[in-house]
Amino acid sequence: MSFSLDPAVLVLEDGTRHPGRAYGARGTTLGEVVFATGMTGYQETLTDPSYAGQIVLQTAPHIGNTGMNSEDVESRRIWVSGYIVRDPSRVVSNWRAEQSLDDALIADGIVGISGIDTRAITRVLRSAGSMRGGIFSGEAATMDAGEQLRIVREAPQMAGQNLSAQVSVDAAEITPATGERLGTLAVLDLGIKQATVNSLAAHGFDVHVLPQSATIDDIRAIDAVAVFYSNGPGDPAASDGHVALLREVLDDGLPFFGICFGNQLLGRALGFGTYKLPFGHRGINQPVLDKQTGRVEITAHNHGFAVDAPLEGAVDSPNGYGRVEVSHIGLNDNVVEGLRALDIPAFSVQYHPEAAAGPHDAGYLFARFHDLVRTTLENKK
């Protein structure tokens, strides 16, 4: 790949400017600037739909060494609104690579910036919280600084945004079970990753990935034995329709498993609130305590919102679904990282157990879901 000397600038809503070099496509892009701490897995990060609407800063300094390939993508395209790296690799050094990261960014129209002090920006975001920003390159880099700042400050906040329709499939997609078949699983696609679909299929489910606009009648029509809500971008408080659907699922007695955004929506369906974290959890090294086993897991996260629920003891669901307990707790900041309903077959976690990229400590959760569905089916006989 060629080494760009074209100018670019990152402008944050607090007025700070960070000049660098153009990376990827040229132009203007806006979004919430967040940082991801993974040392590896940039391809999985870029193709994770949960990052829609966000400009992602990689804290690892050297990005792009292994290029991009068609096997490790987690969805149909790159979803980040923009990309910030310190030192992009000038060459691709991996036998599996099919193109450079720079070329992939250009192909999907992703405006990026390189050659800036990502450590300094991360420190700002950790202190002040995630904030709106814009990357300006090409002709946009020469725009008046005041005009660039005005554009950034007029961009929408992440709070209040419903982005599910942007990332969801338009029509149902089916992946047959690869393990011993248990039944049909209805998956509401709020921004699902392919590794999650593969994990569910490996545990005996015919995985029907449904559009985010699916109704309870759509779920009943496929004779689903259980329902799964995926990860995804946006504010859970702006997804009342998905919460209402989930309440119908719970009322039908269907087993439920949700991850990331799905955890927040289960919390709201049960009657708890959600709130925005200062700078969120994004990376593949987040320690979480499983209260049921006492084990500490290193897990993969990507979320800027969290559930507001009591950390200790069982409490009654405000919406009448029986007792609920917080099942997992983040050890860095005591954020709710999982919920477990004690009187109905439903649970969720705030992180990504499929771990693409990331550690595999939480892979047992798919087996836990399989066992929950099997037990529920046996009890109905």
Side-chain angles (χ1 to χ4, degrees):
M1 62 176 286
S2 61
F3 186 68
S4 170
L5 294 177
D6 295 343
V9 61
L10 169 68
V11 180
L12 299 180
E13 68 174 286
D14 65 358
T16 57
R17 299 171 58 82
H18 303 269
R21 299 184 299 271
Y23 187 48
R26 271 53 167 178
T28 299
T29 192
L30 304 170
E32 181 185 43
V33 181
V34 301
F35 61 88
T37 61
M39 295 292 289
T40 61
Y42 62 80
Q43 178 167 337
E44 291 88 343
T45 294
L46 288 167
T47 56
D48 179 351
S50 298
Y51 282 112
Q54 296 177 323
I55 297 174
V56 175
L57 178 152
Q58 295 278 186
T59 60
H62 202 219
I63 298 295
N65 326 41
T66 55
M68 298 280 280
N69 66 72
S70 57
E71 294 182 27
D72 295 339
V73 294
E74 287 300 323
S75 64
R76 58 190 178 276
R77 58 160 296 163
I78 295 175
W79 288 103
V80 302
S81 290
Y83 203 40
I84 306 169
V85 301
R86 178 178 170 180
D87 295 319
S89 178
R90 301 191 189 192
V91 296
V92 175
S93 303
N94 189 279
W95 64 273
R96 298 174 65 233
E98 298 168 8
Q99 65 178 148
S100 71
L101 174 54
D102 189 28
D103 288 342
L105 293 170
I106 292 172
D108 281 348
I110 307 302
V111 176
I113 186 171
S114 66
I116 62 177
D117 190 343
T118 52
R119 181 183 294 271
I121 299 172
T122 300
R123 289 173 64 89
V124 169
L125 298 178
R126 281 185 58 89
S127 299
S130 298
M131 63 181 75
R132 290 168 296 177
I135 300 173
F136 301 85
S137 65
E139 292 185 3
T142 63
M143 188 185 302
D144 177 75
E147 178 67 6
Q148 291 172 336
L149 181 59
R150 182 192 65 79
I151 292 172
V152 168
R153 288 179 172 171
E154 289 182 354
Q157 301 273 7
M158 181 58 70
Q161 288 200 62
N162 183 330
L163 301 174
S164 301
Q166 296 183 19
V167 298
S168 182
V169 294
D170 295 324
E173 298 180 357
I174 302 173
T175 300
T178 55
E180 182 178 353
R181 186 180 185 276
L182 186 59
T184 297
L185 176 66
V187 173
L188 195 69
D189 179 15
L190 304 170
I192 198 165
K193 297 164 69 177
Q194 187 59 43
T196 303
V197 174
N198 296 343
S199 295
L200 291 167
H203 284 81
F205 294 107
D206 288 334
V207 181
H208 288 236
V209 177
L210 304 179
Q212 59 87 32
S213 58
T215 66
I216 190 65
D217 290 335
D218 295 327
I219 293 173
R220 292 168 180 162
I222 62 174
D223 197 24
V225 297
V227 175
F228 178 91
Y229 270 25
S230 77
N231 56 292
D235 183 350
S239 292
D240 289 343
H242 301 136
V243 172
L245 173 62
L246 180 47
R247 293 195 64 178
E248 292 179 303
V249 167
L250 300 180
D251 291 341
D252 275 5
L254 288 171
F256 173 81
F257 179 25
I259 66 171
C260 200
F261 198 53
N263 175 71
Q264 297 158 18
L265 296 179
L266 176 61
R268 296 188 69 85
L270 294 173
F272 301 109
T274 51
Y275 63 98
K276 195 173 191 304
L277 295 166
F279 50 82
H281 301 165
R282 296 175 182 89
I284 57 178
N285 56 354
Q286 304 281 336
V288 168
L289 172 66
D290 182 345
K291 293 172 61 179
Q292 188 172 344
T293 64
R295 292 181 57 202
V296 174
E297 308 160 11
I298 303 301
T299 57
H301 288 224
N302 175 15
H303 66 105
F305 294 85
V307 176
D308 185 8
L311 295 182
E312 300 299 333
V315 297
D316 289 331
S317 159
N319 283 347
Y321 291 105
R323 298 166 299 149
V324 182
E325 67 177 8
V326 171
S327 59
H328 297 75
I329 298 175
L331 296 181
N332 284 334
D333 50 11
N334 289 327
V335 166
V336 172
E337 295 291 349
L339 298 169
R340 185 164 72 105
L342 302 180
D343 298 315
I344 59 172
F347 73 99
S348 59
V349 293
Q350 186 56 68
Y351 45 94
H352 292 212
E354 85 292 330
H360 295 272
D361 294 17
Y364 70 91
L365 289 165
F366 292 107
R368 183 178 288 183
F369 182 47
H370 172 278
D371 293 344
L372 176 66
V373 175
R374 184 178 60 187
T375 299
T376 303
L377 290 173
E378 291 174 350
N379 289 339
K380 289 181 178 180
K381 293 179 180 179

